Structure formats: structure tokens, C-alpha cells
């Protein structure tokens, strides 16, 4: 929203500087983005009148002018403008004047000079030379009543500023000078001076038949017939100035008047050429197959989602957006139909953007325009048309045909003083709040500690109590609200010693040479089927994209997509991880501070490794990452805790290269190589290895506790057992661990590890040899062979009983 400061001060003129006014508007929520002068600085330019013109003796295109600048004597000035004439009022730069910089960027000083032998004592100026516009067609032609000798900056009101304010969508009432003036008046207490309301007498009884067939599109429609207008009349200079300084280009008198009132009062209107309308008008929704050529030259197709105004033959206008070319006014127009209406915001929103353009009218209507003052605004436009486009005797005015169909209901909104005090943080009383509402023009009824406010017809942003609290805070002044520390209880809580933070977990994973990624929690529905076997995912009501329509229950799909993205950019080694929430349906979950009934939202850590196990280097052969590499990374993350891996099948993993992960007797996730079917579907040359575990398990750590360090030498023993090939190594490890915990003879066993597996010569076809290395140590004495042998014998016996194992 752009406007002239001088224009604003004709409505409300607070006793403050331009900078103070700018700051006041910004702090009230009307952010002033820019304040710039309407013209660059220049001096010693006055209004002059050309008294005589003679041809230059040595130049066909130059004239020698005798110019009156109000000093009592005429100046001799050489001029080459094509539109120069006797009696013309123009701006004249006197000798010594400094004009705006030219193409070289340097200020232009006017001096006494000779042009083809004739002395010139000044320069007659065009608008371009004064940097007022790009018009360079000739001298700037001023009105005949311009006072000769007056400083041109004062006459043309060039000591003015253009304010550009950035409005939030809820402040549609400030999309006009009237709205901004209301704000300034409320903030400063300065009385407003609105344009005089002139109601001209009706001199014509003609009424154009109008039918409103869509009450959900148009709530109120008003119009009047005006005959005998002079469309060729010149737009007054004061109106042109205000339009230009508001970012509008003057076009013709009828169009300029409509635009002027839109800027002045916030009322978009439309002027039809009455002689081009066939029969009457109908306000309705469009129909499939209809089209309309607009004023901007575009032809658009409409359907039942777009509102239109049509006559008995064709569509004439897009409702609330733009008029049609077929009924547009021209310089030959003599009879018009002036229309103003209330269009429901939800019936206009998004329609202009559908056609890839935006209009000032649509910008206002889709936010809400005053529906109570339509007739008064038509009278304002009518008065300007009569004043500018013909006298009261020439122009004939018909009655205003006002059809009220379906207007919004202004429901009162309650404000509690105690609630406002709590939210704003300032001790306001009823009297102060009542004064603020009065200054804002809000009607209210009052009880002790409570207000019931009825929003005005031009305020579509007041719907709940918080909206009224915002109004109180704005007018009270955000700068007047003290900056106080929070009053809530503040306790310094020490993080539990046995729990890692998510930050620490991220560092742990990054230390294993993984890079973190962050993905959306909503994913493609096919991913849930492929990577989680989920046929009934949680669907979004309003997805941001068709491929992001459901909430994820696994993060593997996102990591595969990240891998595919990197491979497409010629990266052959990918090691990534993500920590985030997954969303599972669980009827047992109840509403809570961090829970939603029916949905479980645990945090998971998922990681993926693809390509070489290490960066290419001279000291190590290149090989691709495998299951056991990632298993080692996972064990390092949980160290010193021990993980248990159990062969298992997963819908997204290779049937023979996957396992579930157990920790402290609970299943916390899975690990494995991506299923060949998915590898092919997602176009991966190699199979990545992935894992996904609950973050909660990884956050738990053992608190260090004192244990005596043995002073005696440790003993190692190797044990090779022959078992059936169906025996799982993990089961043997579980037996050894259980025996070490329960058998007193095995208390000296400190640790054990599998170091070899053998199949082949010397063994049966269904047998294999597993070699384990045991570390034994006593804290009280040096181990003797008999104690070591007893422990080893107990371990062998336990393996024999469980799996019929025998020493090799």
C-alpha cells in the first residue's frame, strides 16, 4: 500500500514529523517499508508564463521566448520544445538553479549561456528534466490558474513523501487512505477530516435490471445509471498527483475516478459503458465452456468456481476481479452504469491467481471490504463524475439500485479485562480499555471486567478475544509494554547421569563416519508398503504434495531416496543417518502433553551405508560395505552394552541377510541388507545395508561403578567345538554367558569371542567347527591350571548338553 503523506494529512494531521509518523505506523502493526520523496531535490525553479515567441535566427527548431517569472521583467530564454506556445504556464529553472543529475550522474546547474548566438537566461523544463516522470514529449504544461512566480516545488507540492506500508493479511481495513487515517486518529487522538459527503439530486428515473442469482457470491449489489458524461474530460492535476504518488497510472477521467475512490475509501467499483450492455445484468457463478476477454487483453475460460456478471448475451465481468473488454468505457462513452458490490471473500480468494494475474480489486475483496457503506461510496464517485466529467445540468443521475441479499452477521466478541492484562502484561483497567475501543470506533457494551464488542462492517479481522487484545496492545503501544523477565518458576534441572542427550547420540553416530540428513515426516504411500509392509498408513487430510500423503512408520524409504539422489550426482559412497519420529497407530495411547490419542510417536535412529567401506586409498583394498561392517558400527554405538542379533525376516530386507536387534531382552530394531526386489525397483546398482533402532535404548547408558582391577595375570584358552550347521553362533554365546553368570567355577571368565569357523575336510557334511577364545582372570590370586580346566570343562559340558557339541 503506497500513498502520499500530504494526502493522508488532509484527512488527519497529527502534530508530528514524517519520521515520527512513520515510526508510529510501524509500531502499530502497519510496517512502513519505505519513505521516499516524490521528487528529487532541485531549487530555484518557479512557475512562469510564456508571453512572446520568435523564431531563432540561426536554428529552425529553436524558439526565442519572452518569459514572465514574476520578477517584473521578462527573461529571454531559448527553447526547442515542440509544444511551446504563447500563454503557456511552465516550470522555469532560473539562472543558478540546480536540477537533478542527468545521465552523467552530476547535478545540472543553469547558467547564462548562448545558443547559436542568442543569450538564454534560464531553461523551460519538461517533467523528465525535473525527474517527475519519463515524459519527454515537450514542456510540462501547467494549469492556466498556476500563479506566476510561485516556487514550483510549493505549487506542485513536491515537498511531499511517499509512504509504502507492508500490511498483514488481516489488516484489509487499511488498504485505503481512510483506513490509515482511522489508525492515525486512534493512535494520536487527532480528529479526522473526511471528504464532504455530497448527495446529488436524482434527475433520471432509469434503473438497469439486475438479478443476483448467487447469494454465496454477492451479498449486496448497488448501481446507478448516469447519462451525459464527458469521457474526454481531463483528470484534474490534484487527482493525477495523488494517483501517481500511490503507484497508479492515470488513464482517463472515468477510470481515474474509480481508482481514486478505491484508494481513498477502499471501495473497488466498476464503470460499464451502458450502451454496450445487452438488456439487464445477472450476478451468478460461471458455467463450463464460457469465456471472457478482459480489460488486460487476456481471454480466460471460466467455470462454476468463478463468479461473473453477465448480461442477456454474454459475460461482461469477472466478479470482484476485473471487468470485460466488451463493456469497457472509452473516450467516446456518454452513458455509464456505475456498480459497487460486496463480494464474499471466500468467493474471490484464489480466483485471480488461477488466471496468473492479480488486481487491486481482488486483493481487497478477498480480504473483506466494508459492506455497509456501499451507497455512500457510490454517491462519492457520482459526485466526482459530475464535477469532472460534466456539470449538474449536463449529467443525468439515476437512483441508486441497492439490493441487499446476504450480508455477514457481526457477532459480538467478548473481552475480559483480566485476560487482556495477563496476555499483555500491563495493568490496564476498564476505563483505559473503553477509551481504546472508543478511539478505534468499536461499538461495545460494558460490564465490570468485561466488554462485548461488535466489530464494524469494515473489520473482518475481529473474531475472537485475542483479536481484541491485539487491538488494545497496538493502541496502548508496544513500546510502552515493559520488557520483563518471565514470572514462571525456573528450575535448573540436571540431566540424568544414565541418559545421553539426542545431541550426544548424533555425535556418536557422526563419529562412525555417518552424515546426518533431515527428511519430511510425511512420505509417499508406496514407501510404506515397500519398506514397512503397511497397508493402512496414517493419511494426511491436506498433503503439501501428492507424493507426501501419509505419515511414515519407518525412515528407511527416505534414506533410500537420499541415496538415489546422491548417486544421480555421481557420488559412489553414501553413509547417512537420521533421527526423527515415526507415527504408529496405537489405540492404547491417550491424550497427553506430548501424545495424541490413538497414535504412538517414538523416535528412531535409522542409518544407511552404500558403496565402499572406506574412502579410496593406497593402504587398503577397495571393497563394498557388508552386513558385518554395519553390525560392528551398531555394536560400537551401544558399547559397553551388549547387543543380541537374532535372525529374522523383514519386508524390506534380504531374507538371509537380516536380523532383529535385542538389547536388555527387548527387541529395539532391525538390521540388514536391502531386499533385491527393492534394490531393483529403486534402481540401486549395489545393495545398501541399513539399520533402524529406538533412540530411547541408545540414550540409556550404564553409570560407571567401581570394580576391583586384578593384579594377577590373565589366562587365555581357545576352545574349538564341533556342532551341527543348524546351530546358531548367538545361541552358543548365550549359553556361555549364562554359564559364566550362574556357575561358580566360571566366575573367572572375563570375556569370550568367536574367532574362527571351519567347514570341510575332517568334519561331516552337516557339521561345522566354531573356535572361541576365552579370557580368564581372578582378582584374588594367580590362576592355577585346575581352576582354569574346571571352568573350561563346565563351558564344554554346557555346550554339549544344549547342542550336543564336542571338542574338535
Amino acid at each position: 500500500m503506497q500513498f502520499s503523506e500530504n494526502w493522508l494529512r488532509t484527512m488527519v494531521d497529527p502534530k508530528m514529523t514524517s519520521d515520527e509518523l512513520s515510526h508510529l505506523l510501524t509500531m502499530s502493526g502497519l510496517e512502513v517499508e519505505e519513505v521516499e520523496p516524490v521528487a528529487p531535490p532541485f531549487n530555484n525553479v518557479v512557475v512562469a508564463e510564456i508571453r512572446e515567441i520568435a523564431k531563432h535566427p540561426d536554428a529552425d527548431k529553436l524558439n526565442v521566448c519572452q518569459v514572465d517569472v514574476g520578477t517584473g521583467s521578462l527573461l529571454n530564454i531559448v527553447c526547442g520544445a515542440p509544444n511551446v506556445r504563447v500563454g503557456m504556464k511552465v516550470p522555469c529553472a532560473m539562472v543558478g538553479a540546480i536540477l537533478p543529475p542527468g545521465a552523467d550522474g552530476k547535478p545540472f546547474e543553469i547558467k547564462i549561456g548562448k545558443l547559436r548566438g542568442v543569450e538564454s537566461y534560464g531553461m523551460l523544463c519538461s517533467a523528465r528534466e525535473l525527474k517527475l516522470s519519463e515524459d519527454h514529449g515537450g514542456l510540462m504544461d501547467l494549469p492556466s490558474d498556476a500563479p506566476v512566480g510561485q516556487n514550483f516545488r510549493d505549487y506542485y507540492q513536491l515537498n511531499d513523501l511517499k509512504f509504502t506500508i507492508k500490511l498483514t493479511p488481516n489488516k484489509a481495513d487499511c488498504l485505503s487512505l481512510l483506513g490509515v487515517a482511522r489508525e492515525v486518529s486512534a493512535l494520536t487522538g487527532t480528529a479526522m477530516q473526511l471528504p464532504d459527503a455530497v448527495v446529488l439530486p436524482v434527475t433520471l428515473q432509469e434503473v438497469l435490471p439486475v438479478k443476483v442469482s448467487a447469494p454465496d457470491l454477492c451479498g449486496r449489489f448497488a448501481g446507478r445509471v448516469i447519462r451525459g458524461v464527458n469521457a474526454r474530460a481531463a483528470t484534474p492535476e490534484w487527482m493525477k498527483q495523488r494517483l501517481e504518488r500511490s503507484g497508479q497510472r492515470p488513464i482517463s477521467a472515468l477510470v481515474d475516478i474509480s481508482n481514486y475512490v478505491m484508494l481513498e475509501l477502499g471501495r473497488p467499483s466498476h464503470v460499464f459503458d451502458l450502451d454496450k450492455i445487452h438488456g439487464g445484468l445477472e450476478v451468478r457463478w460461471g458455467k463450463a465452456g464460457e469465456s471472457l476477454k478482459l480489460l488486460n487483453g487476456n481471454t480466460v475460460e471460466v467455470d462454476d468456481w468463478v463468479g461473473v456478471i453477465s448480461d442477456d448475451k454474454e459475460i461482461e465481468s469477472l466478479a470482484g476481479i476485473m471487468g470485460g473488454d466488451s463493456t469497457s468505457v472509452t473516450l467516446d462513452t456518454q452513458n455509464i452504469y456505475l456498480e459497487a458490490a460486496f463480494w464474499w471473500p471466500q468467493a474471490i480468494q484464489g480466483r485471480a491467481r488461477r488466471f496468473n494475474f492479480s488486481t487491486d480489486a481482488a486483493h481487497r475483496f478477498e480480504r473483506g471490504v466494508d459492506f455497509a457503506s456501499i451507497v455512500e461510496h457510490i454517491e462519492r464517485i457520482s459526485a466526482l463524475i459530475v464535477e469532472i466529467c460534466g456539470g449538474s445540468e449536463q449529467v443525468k443521475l439515476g437512483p441508486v439500485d441497492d439490493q441487499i441479499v446476504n450480508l455477514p452477521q457481526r457477532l459480538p466478541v467478548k473481552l475480559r479485562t483480566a485476560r487482556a492484562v495477563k496476555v499483555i502484561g500491563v495493568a490496564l483497567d476498564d476505563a483505559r480499555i473503553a477509551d481504546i475501543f472508543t478511539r478505534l470506533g468499536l461499538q461495545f457494551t460494558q460490564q465490570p471486567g468485561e466488554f462485548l464488542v461488535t466489530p464494524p462492517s469494515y473489520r473482518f479481522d475481529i473474531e475472537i478475544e485475542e483479536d481484541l487484545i491485539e487491538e488494545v496492545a497496538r493502541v496502548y503501544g508496544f513500546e510502552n509494554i515493559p520488557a520483563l523477565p518471565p514470572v514462571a518458576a525456573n528450575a535448573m534441572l540436571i540431566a540424568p547421569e544414565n541418559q545421553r542427550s539426542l545431541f550426544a547420540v548424533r555425535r556418536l553416530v557422526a563419529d562412525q563416519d555417518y552424515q546426518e540428513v533431515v527428511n519430511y515426516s510425511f512420505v509417499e504411500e508406496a514407501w510404506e508398503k515397500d519398506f514397512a509392509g503397511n497397508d493402512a498408513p496414517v493419511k494426511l487430510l491436506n498433503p503439501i504434495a501428492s507424493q507426501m500423503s501419509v505419515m511414515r512408520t519407518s525412515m528407511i524409504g527416505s534414506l533410500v531416496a537420499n541415496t538415489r539422489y546422491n548417486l544421480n550426482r555421481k557420488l559412489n559412497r553414501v553413509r547417512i543417518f537420521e533421527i526423527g519420529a515415526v507415527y504408529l497407530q496405537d489405540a492404547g495411547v491417550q491424550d497427553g502433553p506430548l501424545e495424541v490419542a490413538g497414535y504412538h510417536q517414538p523416535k528412531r535412529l535409522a542409518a544407511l551405508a552404500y558403496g565402499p567401506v572406506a574412502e579410496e586409498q593406497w593402504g587398503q583394498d577397495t571393497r563394498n560395505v557388508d552386513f558385518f561392517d554395519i553390525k560392528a558400527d551398531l555394536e560400537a554405538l551401544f558399547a559397553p552394552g551388549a547387543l543380541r542379533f537374532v535372525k529374522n525376516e523383514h519386508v524390506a530386507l534380504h531374507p538371509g541377510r537380516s536380523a532383529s536387534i535385542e538389547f536388555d531382552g527387548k527387541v529395539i530394531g532391525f538390521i540388514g541388507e536391502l531386499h533385491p526386489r527393492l534394490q531393483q525397483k529403486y534402481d540401486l546398482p549395489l545393495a545398501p545395508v541399513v539399520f533402524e533402532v529406538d533412540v530411547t535404548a541408545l540414550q540409556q547408558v550404564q553409570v560407571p561403578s567401581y570394580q576391583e582391577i586384578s593384579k594377577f595375570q590373565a589366562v587365555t584358552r581357545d576352545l574349538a567345538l564341533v556342532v551341527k550347521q543348524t546351530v546358531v553362533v548367538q545361541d552358543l554365546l548365550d549359553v556361555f554367558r549364562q554359564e559364566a553368570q550362574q556357575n561358580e567355577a566360571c566366575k573367572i571368565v572375563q570375556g569370550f569371542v568367536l574367532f574362527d569357523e571351519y567347514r570341510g575336510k575332517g568334519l561331516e557334511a552337516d557339521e561345522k567347527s566354531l573356535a572361541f577364545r576365552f579370557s580368564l582372570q581372578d582378582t584374588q590370586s594367580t590362576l592355577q591350571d585346575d581352576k582354569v580346566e574346571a571352568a573350561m570343562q563346565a563351558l564344554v559340558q554346557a555346550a554339549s548338553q544344549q547342542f550336543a557339541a564336542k571338542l574338535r
Side-chain angles (χ1 to χ4, degrees):
M1 174 68 184
Q2 180 177 302
F3 58 87
S4 155
E5 181 187 7
N6 285 351
W7 189 6
L8 175 65
R9 288 185 182 271
T10 62
M11 293 188 179
V12 57
D13 190 10
K15 303 305 178 183
M16 57 177 54
T17 65
S18 300
D19 289 341
E20 291 171 340
L21 178 60
S22 171
H23 182 74
L24 176 74
L25 290 173
T26 298
M27 294 309 299
S28 70
L30 309 183
E31 180 185 352
V32 178
E33 282 193 306
E34 186 178 18
V35 178
E36 59 177 337
V38 299
F42 57 81
N43 61 20
N44 210 13
V45 179
V46 299
V47 176
E49 181 180 1
I50 301 173
R51 293 291 185 87
E52 299 177 11
I53 298 177
K55 283 292 183 182
H56 193 288
D58 295 327
D60 294 337
K61 294 184 178 181
L62 296 180
N63 295 298
V64 180
C65 305
Q66 300 299 312
V67 181
D68 181 7
V69 294
T71 58
S73 60
L74 300 181
L75 297 182
N76 194 68
I77 297 178
V78 178
C79 175
N83 64 334
V84 64
R85 68 179 187 276
V86 174
M88 186 179 186
K89 299 285 184 70
V90 296
C92 176
M94 309 277 284
V95 174
I98 304 295
L99 299 187
D104 57 358
K106 298 180 180 179
F108 183 60
E109 183 179 358
I110 302 299
K111 302 177 181 179
I112 299 176
K114 284 188 177 181
L115 293 176
R116 296 287 183 93
V118 177
E119 287 190 334
S120 181
Y121 294 87
M123 184 177 79
L124 305 180
C125 301
S126 68
R128 185 177 180 182
E129 289 163 338
L130 297 177
K131 293 294 187 291
L132 300 181
S133 73
E134 292 301 316
D135 182 16
H136 197 49
L139 299 178
M140 192 172 179
D141 194 353
L142 302 181
S144 58
D145 59 354
V148 174
Q150 183 178 6
N151 185 295
F152 179 71
R153 294 191 70 92
D154 295 336
Y155 169 74
Y156 218 64
Q157 299 182 7
L158 296 181
N159 299 316
D160 188 11
L161 296 174
K162 290 187 291 186
F163 278 57
T164 302
I165 59 176
K166 182 179 180 181
L167 294 174
T168 52
N170 64 314
K171 290 299 292 176
D173 60 299
C174 291
L175 285 169
S176 65
L177 264 293
L178 175 61
V180 177
R182 284 196 200 103
E183 290 290 309
V184 175
S185 176
L187 294 168
T188 63
T190 306
M192 292 180 59
Q193 298 175 352
L194 300 181
D196 295 333
V198 179
V199 179
L200 299 176
V202 174
T203 55
L204 183 70
Q205 297 305 314
E206 182 180 358
V207 175
L208 183 71
V210 177
K211 178 183 179 183
V212 180
S213 302
D216 55 340
L217 166 66
C218 179
R220 185 175 183 180
F221 191 96
R224 79 184 326 167
V225 172
I226 304 178
R227 290 189 175 274
V229 299
N230 176 19
R232 295 182 180 273
T235 303
E237 285 299 322
W238 60 267
M239 182 177 287
K240 283 185 178 180
Q241 279 186 14
R242 292 178 176 180
L243 287 172
E244 289 171 344
R245 294 173 189 182
S246 300
Q248 294 279 351
R249 181 174 59 89
I251 299 174
S252 65
L254 291 174
V255 176
D256 292 346
I257 292 169
S258 177
N259 289 337
Y260 178 81
V261 174
M262 178 183 69
L263 295 171
E264 181 185 54
L265 305 176
R267 166 69 59 199
S269 59
H270 187 62
V271 180
F272 295 86
D273 189 322
L274 182 64
D275 297 327
K276 298 177 182 178
I277 297 176
H278 309 90
L281 296 179
E282 181 182 6
V283 180
R284 59 175 175 82
W285 292 104
K287 300 174 183 177
E290 291 183 316
S291 63
L292 169 67
K293 184 178 181 182
L294 298 171
L295 289 173
N296 61 8
N298 295 341
T299 300
V300 297
E301 302 289 333
V302 303
D303 54 26
D304 58 1
W305 192 64
V306 180
V308 300
I309 301 176
S310 66
D311 60 16
D312 296 345
K313 180 180 178 182
E314 58 187 354
I315 299 177
E316 303 296 353
S317 173
L318 284 183
I321 300 175
M322 184 181 286
D325 181 69
S326 62
T327 55
S328 62
V329 294
T330 66
L331 296 180
D332 297 324
T333 297
Q334 296 182 348
N335 306 307
I336 64 172
Y337 182 72
L338 175 61
E339 167 265 316
F342 168 71
W343 307 101
W344 283 93
Q346 57 268 32
I348 305 299
Q349 291 166 358
R351 273 66 173 183
R353 288 187 293 276
R354 171 181 176 178
F355 301 116
N356 295 321
F357 64 81
S358 180
T359 64
D360 290 330
H363 184 74
R364 288 164 171 78
F365 280 127
E366 65 185 5
R367 288 161 172 78
V369 173
D370 186 3
F371 54 83
S373 58
I374 292 179
V375 174
E376 291 83 350
H377 291 176
I378 283 186
E379 293 289 358
R380 169 65 172 161
I381 301 173
S382 301
L384 289 172
I385 290 175
V386 170
E387 176 186 345
I388 296 171
C389 298
S392 57
E393 297 179 358
Q394 176 185 348
V395 178
K396 305 298 182 182
L397 293 177
V400 177
D401 177 25
D402 182 22
Q403 300 186 42
I404 299 177
V405 182
N406 178 26
L407 296 183
Q409 298 297 317
R410 311 307 282 170
L411 301 177
V413 181
K414 180 190 295 185
L415 172 75
R416 296 162 292 172
T417 302
R419 174 65 177 167
V421 169
K422 182 178 180 180
V423 172
I424 300 174
V426 176
L428 299 169
D429 55 17
D430 288 1
R432 186 63 180 269
I433 294 177
D435 175 61
I436 290 174
F437 286 161
T438 302
R439 289 159 62 182
L440 286 170
L442 303 179
Q443 296 181 356
F444 64 91
T445 57
Q446 181 181 357
Q447 296 179 2
E450 187 174 294
F451 293 84
L452 207 59
V453 179
T454 302
S457 57
Y458 53 83
R459 294 295 297 271
F460 286 78
D461 59 320
I462 299 178
E463 297 179 342
I464 58 177
E465 185 176 24
E466 282 70 16
D467 296 330
L468 292 174
I469 294 175
E470 179 186 3
E471 294 301 299
V472 173
R474 287 194 316 106
V475 178
Y476 179 80
F478 292 123
E479 290 180 309
N480 299 325
I481 300 175
L484 300 175
V487 297
N490 191 7
M492 299 296 291
L493 301 178
I494 300 175
E497 192 176 0
N498 65 339
Q499 183 176 338
R500 294 188 182 102
S501 67
L502 285 178
F503 176 79
V505 172
R506 288 184 170 92
R507 293 295 298 268
L508 279 176
V509 185
D511 287 344
Q512 298 297 322
D513 195 24
Y514 290 87
Q515 295 187 359
E516 186 176 13
V517 297
V518 179
N519 292 303
Y520 285 106
S521 294
F522 20 90
V523 298
E524 191 172 347
E525 189 170 0
W527 291 4
E528 280 297 294
K529 177 68 174 177
D530 290 342
F531 297 103
N534 185 7
D535 293 320
V538 179
K539 294 187 177 182
L540 296 173
L541 293 178
N542 186 24
I544 63 174
S546 60
Q547 70 273 19
M548 295 181 174
S549 58
V550 301
M551 303 302 292
R552 67 185 179 189
T553 60
S554 172
M555 295 188 286
I556 301 301
S558 299
L559 297 183
V560 170
N562 298 145
T563 303
R564 182 67 262 166
Y565 181 89
N566 282 274
L567 293 179
N568 288 340
R569 283 149 185 80
K570 306 305 180 183
L571 296 178
N572 64 345
R573 182 175 183 267
V574 179
R575 292 173 69 90
I576 54 178
F577 79 95
E578 180 178 10
I579 294 178
V582 296
Y583 304 87
L584 311 172
Q585 299 189 50
D586 186 350
V589 177
Q590 302 298 321
D591 276 327
L594 300 176
E595 297 288 346
V596 177
Y599 299 96
H600 183 40
Q601 306 174 52
K603 285 193 178 294
R604 298 271 181 86
L605 162 65
L608 179 147
Y610 176 94
V613 68
E615 295 284 357
E616 187 174 6
Q617 56 170 297
W618 63 269
Q620 179 179 335
D621 292 337
T622 299
R623 69 173 180 85
N624 291 325
V625 69
D626 61 21
F627 176 94
F628 297 102
D629 294 315
I630 307 308
K631 177 174 177 286
D633 292 339
L634 199 52
E635 289 175 327
L637 292 177
F638 280 86
L643 295 177
R644 187 171 186 271
F645 297 88
V646 180
K647 181 180 179 181
N648 195 11
E649 292 190 2
H650 188 280
V651 65
L653 303 181
H654 193 294
R657 301 174 187 174
S658 61
S660 59
I661 306 168
E662 295 182 2
F663 183 69
D664 285 343
K666 297 180 181 178
V667 176
I668 62 169
F670 58 84
I671 181 174
E673 190 177 288
L674 193 67
H675 198 290
R677 171 179 54 84
L678 299 179
Q679 177 188 345
Q680 182 179 11
K681 179 176 180 179
Y682 291 95
D683 194 22
L684 299 173
L686 302 173
V689 183
V690 299
F691 71 78
E692 185 172 304
V693 295
D694 286 326
V695 172
T696 305
L698 188 53
Q699 288 183 281
Q700 304 304 316
V701 294
Q702 295 179 357
V703 178
S705 60
Y706 170 76
Q707 287 185 348
E708 185 181 1
I709 299 175
S710 178
K711 300 176 183 179
F712 304 98
Q713 186 175 355
V715 176
T716 60
R717 288 288 188 270
D718 292 345
L719 189 65
L721 299 176
V722 177
V723 295
K724 297 294 184 182
Q725 290 194 13
T726 56
V727 175
V728 179
V729 173
Q730 183 66 58
D731 293 340
L732 268 172
L733 295 175
D734 291 342
V735 169
F736 293 152
R737 187 174 292 108
Q738 182 179 4
E739 194 69 16
Q741 292 174 354
Q742 297 179 357
N743 192 329
E744 192 64 30
C746 296
K747 295 294 184 181
I748 60 176
V749 176
Q750 301 298 319
F752 44 87
V753 63
L754 174 73
F755 71 88
D756 184 52
E757 177 185 6
Y758 173 75
R759 306 172 192 230
K761 187 177 179 180
L763 298 178
E764 299 294 335
D766 63 343
E767 290 181 336
K768 63 182 176 181
S769 173
L770 302 174
F772 299 90
R773 179 160 294 160
F774 292 84
S775 176
L776 305 95
Q777 190 178 33
D778 193 351
T779 61
Q780 302 301 321
S781 61
T782 301
L783 286 178
Q784 302 298 320
D785 287 343
D786 57 341
K787 293 185 69 174
V788 173
E789 293 300 330
M792 297 304 296
Q793 188 62 37
L795 293 170
V796 172
Q797 185 177 357
S800 299
Q801 289 176 354
Q802 292 287 339
F803 305 106
K806 57 184 178 181
L807 284 172
R808 184 178 172 191

